[in-house]
Amino acid sequence: TSRTPIRPPTSLAVASFEQISLAASQENTGLAVVVVGEAVYSFSRAPGLLQSLILLPPLAAAYFLLFVAGPYYDMPSFDMSQGLLVSSLVSLALMLSYAARLKLPSASPKEYAFGGLLVGF
């Protein structure tokens, strides 16, 4: 009978700054797309002039996540602390926005705001 050789345990490789930069920019881009998509969907469920205020925090968050937080795909940065700080503050601001949407009377569905608050925690 032939036996398969025992393989030595694999070693974990340390991620490079380029890989960390790519992961951070993908997270920021993904969060921006999700929050804007949720706001557009909530607005479309109950459109109105007052309901258009739902769009302001996610659009501001998307701006900060995509253009201020950086680093972006083709520009790896060795000092990513500013970008992490900006994305953390944006997440906190979004959580406060979702909490305000839950407390204030609104014609849009509350389930999506609660889901955003839950994901933020």
PDB file of all heavy atoms in Angstrom, residues 64-97:
ATOM      1  N   PHE A  64     -16.112  61.088   1.675  1.00  0.00           N
ATOM      2  CA  PHE A  64     -14.976  60.963   2.586  1.00  0.00           C
ATOM      3  C   PHE A  64     -14.287  59.611   2.446  1.00  0.00           C
ATOM      4  O   PHE A  64     -13.061  59.520   2.494  1.00  0.00           O
ATOM      5  CB  PHE A  64     -15.402  61.189   4.037  1.00  0.00           C
ATOM      6  CG  PHE A  64     -15.518  62.638   4.390  1.00  0.00           C
ATOM      7  CD1 PHE A  64     -16.753  63.245   4.442  1.00  0.00           C
ATOM      8  CD2 PHE A  64     -14.392  63.395   4.654  1.00  0.00           C
ATOM      9  CE1 PHE A  64     -16.872  64.591   4.753  1.00  0.00           C
ATOM     10  CE2 PHE A  64     -14.487  64.733   4.973  1.00  0.00           C
ATOM     11  CZ  PHE A  64     -15.733  65.336   5.018  1.00  0.00           C
ATOM     12  N   LEU A  65     -15.063  58.542   2.263  1.00  0.00           N
ATOM     13  CA  LEU A  65     -14.461  57.220   2.131  1.00  0.00           C
ATOM     14  C   LEU A  65     -13.672  57.066   0.836  1.00  0.00           C
ATOM     15  O   LEU A  65     -12.624  56.431   0.803  1.00  0.00           O
ATOM     16  CB  LEU A  65     -15.539  56.139   2.210  1.00  0.00           C
ATOM     17  CG  LEU A  65     -16.125  55.897   3.585  1.00  0.00           C
ATOM     18  CD1 LEU A  65     -17.335  54.988   3.487  1.00  0.00           C
ATOM     19  CD2 LEU A  65     -15.088  55.320   4.523  1.00  0.00           C
ATOM     20  N   LEU A  66     -14.177  57.653  -0.245  1.00  0.00           N
ATOM     21  CA  LEU A  66     -13.525  57.454  -1.539  1.00  0.00           C
ATOM     22  C   LEU A  66     -12.416  58.451  -1.822  1.00  0.00           C
ATOM     23  O   LEU A  66     -11.425  58.114  -2.470  1.00  0.00           O
ATOM     24  CB  LEU A  66     -14.570  57.514  -2.655  1.00  0.00           C
ATOM     25  CG  LEU A  66     -15.615  56.399  -2.636  1.00  0.00           C
ATOM     26  CD1 LEU A  66     -16.646  56.624  -3.721  1.00  0.00           C
ATOM     27  CD2 LEU A  66     -14.961  55.049  -2.775  1.00  0.00           C
ATOM     28  N   PHE A  67     -12.562  59.694  -1.347  1.00  0.00           N
ATOM     29  CA  PHE A  67     -11.604  60.722  -1.744  1.00  0.00           C
ATOM     30  C   PHE A  67     -10.718  61.236  -0.621  1.00  0.00           C
ATOM     31  O   PHE A  67      -9.669  61.802  -0.894  1.00  0.00           O
ATOM     32  CB  PHE A  67     -12.340  61.900  -2.390  1.00  0.00           C
ATOM     33  CG  PHE A  67     -13.096  61.501  -3.619  1.00  0.00           C
ATOM     34  CD1 PHE A  67     -14.478  61.531  -3.638  1.00  0.00           C
ATOM     35  CD2 PHE A  67     -12.428  61.070  -4.747  1.00  0.00           C
ATOM     36  CE1 PHE A  67     -15.180  61.148  -4.769  1.00  0.00           C
ATOM     37  CE2 PHE A  67     -13.116  60.683  -5.879  1.00  0.00           C
ATOM     38  CZ  PHE A  67     -14.496  60.722  -5.893  1.00  0.00           C
ATOM     39  N   VAL A  68     -11.137  61.070   0.628  1.00  0.00           N
ATOM     40  CA  VAL A  68     -10.342  61.602   1.735  1.00  0.00           C
ATOM     41  C   VAL A  68      -9.609  60.483   2.461  1.00  0.00           C
ATOM     42  O   VAL A  68      -8.431  60.627   2.800  1.00  0.00           O
ATOM     43  CB  VAL A  68     -11.239  62.396   2.718  1.00  0.00           C
ATOM     44  CG1 VAL A  68     -10.434  62.899   3.898  1.00  0.00           C
ATOM     45  CG2 VAL A  68     -11.905  63.556   1.999  1.00  0.00           C
ATOM     46  N   ALA A  69     -10.288  59.356   2.694  1.00  0.00           N
ATOM     47  CA  ALA A  69      -9.696  58.286   3.505  1.00  0.00           C
ATOM     48  C   ALA A  69      -8.493  57.661   2.813  1.00  0.00           C
ATOM     49  O   ALA A  69      -7.522  57.336   3.484  1.00  0.00           O
ATOM     50  CB  ALA A  69     -10.728  57.226   3.834  1.00  0.00           C
ATOM     51  N   GLY A  70      -8.544  57.478   1.454  1.00  0.00           N
ATOM     52  CA  GLY A  70      -7.425  56.875   0.757  1.00  0.00           C
ATOM     53  C   GLY A  70      -6.760  55.826   1.638  1.00  0.00           C
ATOM     54  O   GLY A  70      -7.198  55.609   2.739  1.00  0.00           O
ATOM     55  N   PRO A  71      -5.765  55.159   1.316  1.00  0.00           N
ATOM     56  CA  PRO A  71      -5.113  55.100   0.009  1.00  0.00           C
ATOM     57  C   PRO A  71      -5.988  54.376  -0.993  1.00  0.00           C
ATOM     58  O   PRO A  71      -6.804  53.555  -0.622  1.00  0.00           O
ATOM     59  CB  PRO A  71      -3.852  54.304   0.287  1.00  0.00           C
ATOM     60  CG  PRO A  71      -4.221  53.422   1.413  1.00  0.00           C
ATOM     61  CD  PRO A  71      -5.185  54.209   2.253  1.00  0.00           C
ATOM     62  N   TYR A  72      -5.804  54.736  -2.232  1.00  0.00           N
ATOM     63  CA  TYR A  72      -6.624  54.110  -3.236  1.00  0.00           C
ATOM     64  C   TYR A  72      -5.851  53.007  -3.937  1.00  0.00           C
ATOM     65  O   TYR A  72      -4.691  52.762  -3.654  1.00  0.00           O
ATOM     66  CB  TYR A  72      -7.164  55.175  -4.202  1.00  0.00           C
ATOM     67  CG  TYR A  72      -8.570  54.868  -4.628  1.00  0.00           C
ATOM     68  CD1 TYR A  72      -9.564  54.726  -3.687  1.00  0.00           C
ATOM     69  CD2 TYR A  72      -8.874  54.678  -5.945  1.00  0.00           C
ATOM     70  CE1 TYR A  72     -10.853  54.418  -4.065  1.00  0.00           C
ATOM     71  CE2 TYR A  72     -10.167  54.378  -6.330  1.00  0.00           C
ATOM     72  CZ  TYR A  72     -11.137  54.245  -5.394  1.00  0.00           C
ATOM     73  OH  TYR A  72     -12.405  53.939  -5.769  1.00  0.00           O
ATOM     74  N   TYR A  73      -6.492  52.324  -4.873  1.00  0.00           N
ATOM     75  CA  TYR A  73      -5.945  51.100  -5.456  1.00  0.00           C
ATOM     76  C   TYR A  73      -4.519  51.215  -5.968  1.00  0.00           C
ATOM     77  O   TYR A  73      -3.705  50.345  -5.734  1.00  0.00           O
ATOM     78  CB  TYR A  73      -6.834  50.635  -6.622  1.00  0.00           C
ATOM     79  CG  TYR A  73      -8.204  50.258  -6.186  1.00  0.00           C
ATOM     80  CD1 TYR A  73      -9.297  51.016  -6.571  1.00  0.00           C
ATOM     81  CD2 TYR A  73      -8.415  49.158  -5.384  1.00  0.00           C
ATOM     82  CE1 TYR A  73     -10.564  50.668  -6.171  1.00  0.00           C
ATOM     83  CE2 TYR A  73      -9.682  48.813  -4.964  1.00  0.00           C
ATOM     84  CZ  TYR A  73     -10.752  49.558  -5.370  1.00  0.00           C
ATOM     85  OH  TYR A  73     -11.999  49.232  -4.961  1.00  0.00           O
ATOM     86  N   ASP A  74      -4.209  52.264  -6.666  1.00  0.00           N
ATOM     87  CA  ASP A  74      -2.903  52.336  -7.305  1.00  0.00           C
ATOM     88  C   ASP A  74      -1.885  53.137  -6.505  1.00  0.00           C
ATOM     89  O   ASP A  74      -0.795  53.387  -6.987  1.00  0.00           O
ATOM     90  CB  ASP A  74      -3.034  52.916  -8.712  1.00  0.00           C
ATOM     91  CG  ASP A  74      -3.705  54.276  -8.710  1.00  0.00           C
ATOM     92  OD1 ASP A  74      -4.232  54.666  -7.665  1.00  0.00           O
ATOM     93  OD2 ASP A  74      -3.699  54.923  -9.769  1.00  0.00           O
ATOM     94  N   MET A  75      -2.240  53.543  -5.303  1.00  0.00           N
ATOM     95  CA  MET A  75      -1.310  54.333  -4.506  1.00  0.00           C
ATOM     96  C   MET A  75      -1.141  53.729  -3.114  1.00  0.00           C
ATOM     97  O   MET A  75      -1.781  54.170  -2.168  1.00  0.00           O
ATOM     98  CB  MET A  75      -1.812  55.774  -4.367  1.00  0.00           C
ATOM     99  CG  MET A  75      -1.910  56.505  -5.664  1.00  0.00           C
ATOM    100  SD  MET A  75      -2.408  58.211  -5.456  1.00  0.00           S
ATOM    101  CE  MET A  75      -4.003  58.069  -4.682  1.00  0.00           C
ATOM    102  N   PRO A  76      -0.325  52.680  -2.965  1.00  0.00           N
ATOM    103  CA  PRO A  76      -0.132  52.137  -1.627  1.00  0.00           C
ATOM    104  C   PRO A  76       0.576  53.160  -0.736  1.00  0.00           C
ATOM    105  O   PRO A  76       1.477  53.860  -1.165  1.00  0.00           O
ATOM    106  CB  PRO A  76       0.726  50.904  -1.848  1.00  0.00           C
ATOM    107  CG  PRO A  76       1.363  51.106  -3.166  1.00  0.00           C
ATOM    108  CD  PRO A  76       0.440  51.980  -3.965  1.00  0.00           C
ATOM    109  N   SER A  77       0.124  53.243   0.469  1.00  0.00           N
ATOM    110  CA  SER A  77       0.683  54.209   1.400  1.00  0.00           C
ATOM    111  C   SER A  77       1.308  53.466   2.570  1.00  0.00           C
ATOM    112  O   SER A  77       0.773  52.477   3.050  1.00  0.00           O
ATOM    113  CB  SER A  77      -0.417  55.141   1.911  1.00  0.00           C
ATOM    114  OG  SER A  77       0.082  55.959   2.930  1.00  0.00           O
ATOM    115  N   PHE A  78       2.429  53.963   3.026  1.00  0.00           N
ATOM    116  CA  PHE A  78       3.076  53.343   4.162  1.00  0.00           C
ATOM    117  C   PHE A  78       2.605  53.962   5.469  1.00  0.00           C
ATOM    118  O   PHE A  78       2.924  53.488   6.529  1.00  0.00           O
ATOM    119  CB  PHE A  78       4.600  53.456   4.026  1.00  0.00           C
ATOM    120  CG  PHE A  78       5.118  52.657   2.869  1.00  0.00           C
ATOM    121  CD1 PHE A  78       5.384  53.254   1.658  1.00  0.00           C
ATOM    122  CD2 PHE A  78       5.279  51.289   2.988  1.00  0.00           C
ATOM    123  CE1 PHE A  78       5.840  52.519   0.592  1.00  0.00           C
ATOM    124  CE2 PHE A  78       5.730  50.541   1.922  1.00  0.00           C
ATOM    125  CZ  PHE A  78       6.026  51.158   0.723  1.00  0.00           C
ATOM    126  N   ASP A  79       1.845  55.026   5.394  1.00  0.00           N
ATOM    127  CA  ASP A  79       1.262  55.646   6.571  1.00  0.00           C
ATOM    128  C   ASP A  79      -0.247  55.693   6.371  1.00  0.00           C
ATOM    129  O   ASP A  79      -0.783  56.654   5.845  1.00  0.00           O
ATOM    130  CB  ASP A  79       1.831  57.048   6.793  1.00  0.00           C
ATOM    131  CG  ASP A  79       1.266  57.685   8.039  1.00  0.00           C
ATOM    132  OD1 ASP A  79       0.892  56.940   8.964  1.00  0.00           O
ATOM    133  OD2 ASP A  79       1.196  58.919   8.093  1.00  0.00           O
ATOM    134  N   MET A  80      -0.902  54.633   6.776  1.00  0.00           N
ATOM    135  CA  MET A  80      -2.335  54.519   6.548  1.00  0.00           C
ATOM    136  C   MET A  80      -3.155  54.930   7.761  1.00  0.00           C
ATOM    137  O   MET A  80      -4.360  54.772   7.774  1.00  0.00           O
ATOM    138  CB  MET A  80      -2.679  53.089   6.164  1.00  0.00           C
ATOM    139  CG  MET A  80      -2.173  52.711   4.798  1.00  0.00           C
ATOM    140  SD  MET A  80      -2.624  51.044   4.338  1.00  0.00           S
ATOM    141  CE  MET A  80      -1.246  50.154   5.014  1.00  0.00           C
ATOM    142  N   SER A  81      -2.510  55.482   8.777  1.00  0.00           N
ATOM    143  CA  SER A  81      -3.241  55.819  10.002  1.00  0.00           C
ATOM    144  C   SER A  81      -4.282  56.899   9.752  1.00  0.00           C
ATOM    145  O   SER A  81      -5.369  56.854  10.336  1.00  0.00           O
ATOM    146  CB  SER A  81      -2.273  56.243  11.099  1.00  0.00           C
ATOM    147  OG  SER A  81      -1.535  57.376  10.700  1.00  0.00           O
ATOM    148  N   GLN A  82      -3.989  57.873   8.887  1.00  0.00           N
ATOM    149  CA  GLN A  82      -4.973  58.917   8.595  1.00  0.00           C
ATOM    150  C   GLN A  82      -6.198  58.326   7.914  1.00  0.00           C
ATOM    151  O   GLN A  82      -7.329  58.654   8.256  1.00  0.00           O
ATOM    152  CB  GLN A  82      -4.368  60.000   7.720  1.00  0.00           C
ATOM    153  CG  GLN A  82      -5.380  61.076   7.355  1.00  0.00           C
ATOM    154  CD  GLN A  82      -4.842  62.079   6.354  1.00  0.00           C
ATOM    155  OE1 GLN A  82      -3.687  62.011   5.967  1.00  0.00           O
ATOM    156  NE2 GLN A  82      -5.680  62.996   5.943  1.00  0.00           N
ATOM    157  N   GLY A  83      -6.008  57.442   6.960  1.00  0.00           N
ATOM    158  CA  GLY A  83      -7.126  56.817   6.273  1.00  0.00           C
ATOM    159  C   GLY A  83      -7.973  55.962   7.204  1.00  0.00           C
ATOM    160  O   GLY A  83      -9.201  55.959   7.127  1.00  0.00           O
ATOM    161  N   LEU A  84      -7.306  55.244   8.108  1.00  0.00           N
ATOM    162  CA  LEU A  84      -8.050  54.438   9.065  1.00  0.00           C
ATOM    163  C   LEU A  84      -8.825  55.313  10.039  1.00  0.00           C
ATOM    164  O   LEU A  84      -9.952  54.980  10.424  1.00  0.00           O
ATOM    165  CB  LEU A  84      -7.093  53.508   9.813  1.00  0.00           C
ATOM    166  CG  LEU A  84      -6.446  52.423   8.965  1.00  0.00           C
ATOM    167  CD1 LEU A  84      -5.405  51.669   9.781  1.00  0.00           C
ATOM    168  CD2 LEU A  84      -7.484  51.472   8.420  1.00  0.00           C
ATOM    169  N   LEU A  85      -8.246  56.437  10.424  1.00  0.00           N
ATOM    170  CA  LEU A  85      -8.938  57.362  11.307  1.00  0.00           C
ATOM    171  C   LEU A  85     -10.164  57.949  10.611  1.00  0.00           C
ATOM    172  O   LEU A  85     -11.256  58.000  11.193  1.00  0.00           O
ATOM    173  CB  LEU A  85      -8.000  58.485  11.762  1.00  0.00           C
ATOM    174  CG  LEU A  85      -8.641  59.585  12.600  1.00  0.00           C
ATOM    175  CD1 LEU A  85      -9.075  59.032  13.948  1.00  0.00           C
ATOM    176  CD2 LEU A  85      -7.681  60.749  12.778  1.00  0.00           C
ATOM    177  N   VAL A  86     -10.002  58.371   9.369  1.00  0.00           N
ATOM    178  CA  VAL A  86     -11.124  58.951   8.619  1.00  0.00           C
ATOM    179  C   VAL A  86     -12.232  57.925   8.441  1.00  0.00           C
ATOM    180  O   VAL A  86     -13.413  58.214   8.672  1.00  0.00           O
ATOM    181  CB  VAL A  86     -10.654  59.505   7.257  1.00  0.00           C
ATOM    182  CG1 VAL A  86     -11.823  59.858   6.367  1.00  0.00           C
ATOM    183  CG2 VAL A  86      -9.761  60.708   7.458  1.00  0.00           C
ATOM    184  N   SER A  87     -11.884  56.693   8.064  1.00  0.00           N
ATOM    185  CA  SER A  87     -12.927  55.682   7.851  1.00  0.00           C
ATOM    186  C   SER A  87     -13.606  55.300   9.165  1.00  0.00           C
ATOM    187  O   SER A  87     -14.808  55.026   9.189  1.00  0.00           O
ATOM    188  CB  SER A  87     -12.368  54.455   7.143  1.00  0.00           C
ATOM    189  OG  SER A  87     -11.373  53.836   7.917  1.00  0.00           O
ATOM    190  N   SER A  88     -12.876  55.325  10.275  1.00  0.00           N
ATOM    191  CA  SER A  88     -13.499  55.056  11.578  1.00  0.00           C
ATOM    192  C   SER A  88     -14.462  56.169  11.960  1.00  0.00           C
ATOM    193  O   SER A  88     -15.566  55.905  12.464  1.00  0.00           O
ATOM    194  CB  SER A  88     -12.432  54.899  12.658  1.00  0.00           C
ATOM    195  OG  SER A  88     -11.616  53.802  12.396  1.00  0.00           O
ATOM    196  N   LEU A  89     -14.064  57.417  11.736  1.00  0.00           N
ATOM    197  CA  LEU A  89     -14.951  58.544  12.043  1.00  0.00           C
ATOM    198  C   LEU A  89     -16.182  58.547  11.148  1.00  0.00           C
ATOM    199  O   LEU A  89     -17.285  58.876  11.597  1.00  0.00           O
ATOM    200  CB  LEU A  89     -14.183  59.862  11.926  1.00  0.00           C
ATOM    201  CG  LEU A  89     -13.101  60.101  12.976  1.00  0.00           C
ATOM    202  CD1 LEU A  89     -12.335  61.375  12.682  1.00  0.00           C
ATOM    203  CD2 LEU A  89     -13.690  60.124  14.371  1.00  0.00           C
ATOM    204  N   VAL A  90     -16.006  58.176   9.887  1.00  0.00           N
ATOM    205  CA  VAL A  90     -17.147  58.088   8.972  1.00  0.00           C
ATOM    206  C   VAL A  90     -18.109  56.996   9.444  1.00  0.00           C
ATOM    207  O   VAL A  90     -19.335  57.187   9.437  1.00  0.00           O
ATOM    208  CB  VAL A  90     -16.675  57.836   7.529  1.00  0.00           C
ATOM    209  CG1 VAL A  90     -17.820  57.402   6.633  1.00  0.00           C
ATOM    210  CG2 VAL A  90     -16.019  59.082   6.963  1.00  0.00           C
ATOM    211  N   SER A  91     -17.584  55.876   9.876  1.00  0.00           N
ATOM    212  CA  SER A  91     -18.442  54.802  10.378  1.00  0.00           C
ATOM    213  C   SER A  91     -19.213  55.249  11.614  1.00  0.00           C
ATOM    214  O   SER A  91     -20.406  54.948  11.751  1.00  0.00           O
ATOM    215  CB  SER A  91     -17.609  53.562  10.701  1.00  0.00           C
ATOM    216  OG  SER A  91     -17.029  53.043   9.545  1.00  0.00           O
ATOM    217  N   LEU A  92     -18.552  55.960  12.502  1.00  0.00           N
ATOM    218  CA  LEU A  92     -19.226  56.473  13.691  1.00  0.00           C
ATOM    219  C   LEU A  92     -20.321  57.471  13.302  1.00  0.00           C
ATOM    220  O   LEU A  92     -21.436  57.422  13.842  1.00  0.00           O
ATOM    221  CB  LEU A  92     -18.214  57.129  14.623  1.00  0.00           C
ATOM    222  CG  LEU A  92     -18.765  57.713  15.911  1.00  0.00           C
ATOM    223  CD1 LEU A  92     -19.356  56.617  16.792  1.00  0.00           C
ATOM    224  CD2 LEU A  92     -17.676  58.445  16.663  1.00  0.00           C
ATOM    225  N   ALA A  93     -20.018  58.359  12.365  1.00  0.00           N
ATOM    226  CA  ALA A  93     -21.024  59.330  11.915  1.00  0.00           C
ATOM    227  C   ALA A  93     -22.205  58.629  11.255  1.00  0.00           C
ATOM    228  O   ALA A  93     -23.359  59.033  11.449  1.00  0.00           O
ATOM    229  CB  ALA A  93     -20.385  60.331  10.952  1.00  0.00           C
ATOM    230  N   LEU A  94     -21.952  57.582  10.494  1.00  0.00           N
ATOM    231  CA  LEU A  94     -23.048  56.831   9.879  1.00  0.00           C
ATOM    232  C   LEU A  94     -23.912  56.149  10.927  1.00  0.00           C
ATOM    233  O   LEU A  94     -25.133  56.099  10.807  1.00  0.00           O
ATOM    234  CB  LEU A  94     -22.502  55.800   8.893  1.00  0.00           C
ATOM    235  CG  LEU A  94     -22.071  56.328   7.545  1.00  0.00           C
ATOM    236  CD1 LEU A  94     -21.352  55.253   6.752  1.00  0.00           C
ATOM    237  CD2 LEU A  94     -23.273  56.838   6.771  1.00  0.00           C
ATOM    238  N   MET A  95     -23.291  55.613  11.969  1.00  0.00           N
ATOM    239  CA  MET A  95     -24.059  54.988  13.040  1.00  0.00           C
ATOM    240  C   MET A  95     -24.958  56.017  13.712  1.00  0.00           C
ATOM    241  O   MET A  95     -26.122  55.730  14.019  1.00  0.00           O
ATOM    242  CB  MET A  95     -23.128  54.319  14.045  1.00  0.00           C
ATOM    243  CG  MET A  95     -22.492  53.072  13.501  1.00  0.00           C
ATOM    244  SD  MET A  95     -21.323  52.167  14.545  1.00  0.00           S
ATOM    245  CE  MET A  95     -21.368  52.890  16.114  1.00  0.00           C
ATOM    246  N   LEU A  96     -24.438  57.220  13.947  1.00  0.00           N
ATOM    247  CA  LEU A  96     -25.268  58.275  14.533  1.00  0.00           C
ATOM    248  C   LEU A  96     -26.404  58.669  13.589  1.00  0.00           C
ATOM    249  O   LEU A  96     -27.527  58.940  14.031  1.00  0.00           O
ATOM    250  CB  LEU A  96     -24.402  59.487  14.878  1.00  0.00           C
ATOM    251  CG  LEU A  96     -23.386  59.283  16.002  1.00  0.00           C
ATOM    252  CD1 LEU A  96     -22.480  60.501  16.124  1.00  0.00           C
ATOM    253  CD2 LEU A  96     -24.078  58.974  17.306  1.00  0.00           C
ATOM    254  N   SER A  97     -26.126  58.703  12.299  1.00  0.00           N
ATOM    255  CA  SER A  97     -27.154  59.017  11.310  1.00  0.00           C
ATOM    256  C   SER A  97     -28.256  57.960  11.309  1.00  0.00           C
ATOM    257  O   SER A  97     -29.445  58.290  11.262  1.00  0.00           O
ATOM    258  CB  SER A  97     -26.516  59.120   9.927  1.00  0.00           C
ATOM    259  OG  SER A  97     -27.491  59.150   8.922  1.00  0.00           O
TER     260      SER A  97
END
